[in-house]
Amino acid sequence: MTSNDFLPGSDGQPARRAGDYAQEKLAFLKAFMPPALSIAGRKPTRIYVDLFAGPGMNRTVDGSEFDGSPLLALEARATARDSKPFTDAHFVNLESTSHDALAARIARAQHDGRSVVPADRVRLHTGDANVIGPQLLRAMPRAAYVLLFADITGVKHWPWRSVEALRAAAPRSLDLYVLFPLEMTIERLLGIDRERAKRYEAHLDAFFGTDTWRAHYSKRVSSSQGAAFRTALIELYRARLRSLWKDAIVACAPGFSEDRALYRMFFATSHPAAMRAAKWAHARPPGGQMRLSLLD
């Protein structure tokens, strides 16, 4: 993140610059975690991993603020009577600005009693998430439940080999919630200027882990074919996730409309109960108004 990605937070710490649409991405996570923790309630270890954690607070240009994913995870409890939280949490940031701001906010949440994860089981890491992520997962108990959130902003942040490395290193019960930067990055890089797009072909090959996207791009000869192109890439990435997990859905699509969103959020799991919880969470966007259908 650069200095332009931050705004001063009301607590004196830098906050992530965000639009109101980001609340929908976080609303799915907030709704999903309680039933997921209930499903995993019998597991002695329940771990939340945030590979691009950020500073822990979001702020819009009009001054409104809302908690980031790290604070939501530290407060999450199961819906069952025993109200079990995560037993462990790991937060990864590449640069010190987010790391230091998040550390301060976590310390405050622990002091105020908002965090229900034991303080000695909360870990902050600084470095490349593509390197740190597999290392963390490899060291986890094989019987653990893991919910991993990858809030990427560009294709270079998340090559497909990292997804494969995480899946191979993780316990069997690994659920993934990941941003798919379609309109915000992929379409912007490609567009309909073929010569300009050639600069980014290698990055997209690495992101998808295949060059299959190129066949879809070759069919896009005008801007009027944008919707079909977006649908093809969404289905391609979904198929890639399904090569590692039993199922994957588009959990939410914040932005302009279901057809033209800013980005898509994918959820992938190998457990039917977790998928049912994800579909339930998908139907509850900010404000509580039910959606009528899934974006899958």
Side-chain angles (χ1 to χ4, degrees):
M1 299 177 76
T2 68
S3 58
N4 292 331
D5 296 316
F6 298 100
L7 291 170
S10 59
D11 60 358
Q13 298 291 337
R16 175 181 278 171
R17 182 192 295 267
D20 289 330
Y21 52 80
Q23 295 194 59
E24 186 169 348
K25 167 179 61 181
L26 296 172
F28 172 87
L29 190 66
K30 189 175 182 179
F32 173 75
M33 287 189 291
L37 286 166
S38 292
I39 293 166
R42 292 186 178 181
K43 290 184 175 291
T45 310
R46 300 170 298 280
I47 307 172
Y48 177 80
V49 179
D50 205 323
L51 291 183
F52 302 85
M57 180 65 68
N58 298 279
R59 187 178 178 90
T60 65
V61 292
D62 64 5
S64 61
E65 293 182 334
F66 50 96
D67 287 345
S69 50
L71 297 185
L72 296 179
L74 292 178
E75 296 177 15
R77 289 181 178 273
T79 53
R81 280 188 249 174
D82 55 13
S83 297
K84 290 181 178 178
F86 287 105
T87 60
D88 301 80
H90 293 271
F91 304 109
V92 182
N93 278 303
L94 182 61
E95 26 58 39
S96 59
T97 300
S98 288
H99 176 94
D100 294 344
L102 180 58
R105 290 186 170 110
I106 289 176
R108 187 177 304 113
Q110 291 169 338
H111 179 270
D112 295 342
R114 291 177 57 196
S115 174
V116 292
V117 182
D120 62 348
R121 308 281 294 260
V122 178
R123 299 283 187 270
L124 282 78
H125 312 268
T126 306
D128 185 347
N130 296 282
V131 175
I132 294 175
Q135 294 174 347
L136 291 175
L137 295 178
R138 200 172 293 117
M140 293 174 183
R142 296 298 89 188
Y145 167 70
V146 183
L147 173 60
L148 189 148
F149 182 28
D151 193 13
I152 66 172
T153 57
V155 295
K156 290 194 291 185
H157 297 165
W158 191 247
W160 185 253
R161 66 176 181 271
S162 292
V163 185
E164 292 178 319
L166 289 167
R167 191 70 187 100
R172 185 170 62 178
S173 295
L174 171 69
D175 290 344
L176 174 70
Y177 186 48
V178 60
L179 188 147
F180 179 60
L182 185 53
E183 282 87 343
M184 69 187 292
T185 298
I186 297 174
E187 277 211 311
R188 181 170 53 83
L189 295 180
L190 293 178
I192 56 174
D193 185 340
R194 304 280 164 167
E195 288 304 312
R196 178 179 180 274
K198 287 181 180 179
R199 304 178 213 167
Y200 308 108
E201 289 177 347
H203 294 312
L204 289 164
D205 287 348
F207 175 75
F208 285 105
T210 175
D211 63 1
T212 307
W213 66 271
R214 299 186 189 210
H216 300 300
Y217 184 51
S218 67
K219 297 175 184 177
R220 185 185 181 184
V221 296
S222 69
S223 57
S224 64
Q225 295 167 311
F229 177 61
R230 289 191 293 274
T231 297
L233 293 192
I234 290 167
E235 288 306 310
L236 171 60
Y237 202 69
R238 184 182 183 188
R240 298 296 286 151
L241 291 171
R242 282 178 159 179
S243 71
L244 299 177
W245 283 268
K246 288 183 179 179
D247 202 2
I249 61 167
V250 175
C252 68
F256 318 112
S257 67
E258 290 193 357
D259 174 60
R260 195 65 193 268
L262 184 61
Y263 51 80
R264 303 301 198 282
M265 299 301 303
F266 271 97
F267 175 81
T269 185
S270 292
H271 301 279
M275 182 53 65
R276 288 193 295 272
K279 291 181 177 181
W280 176 88
H282 165 87
R284 287 154 178 79
Q289 184 177 359
M290 295 288 290
R291 286 194 183 91
L292 297 180
S293 62
L294 286 170
L295 302 178
D296 62 355

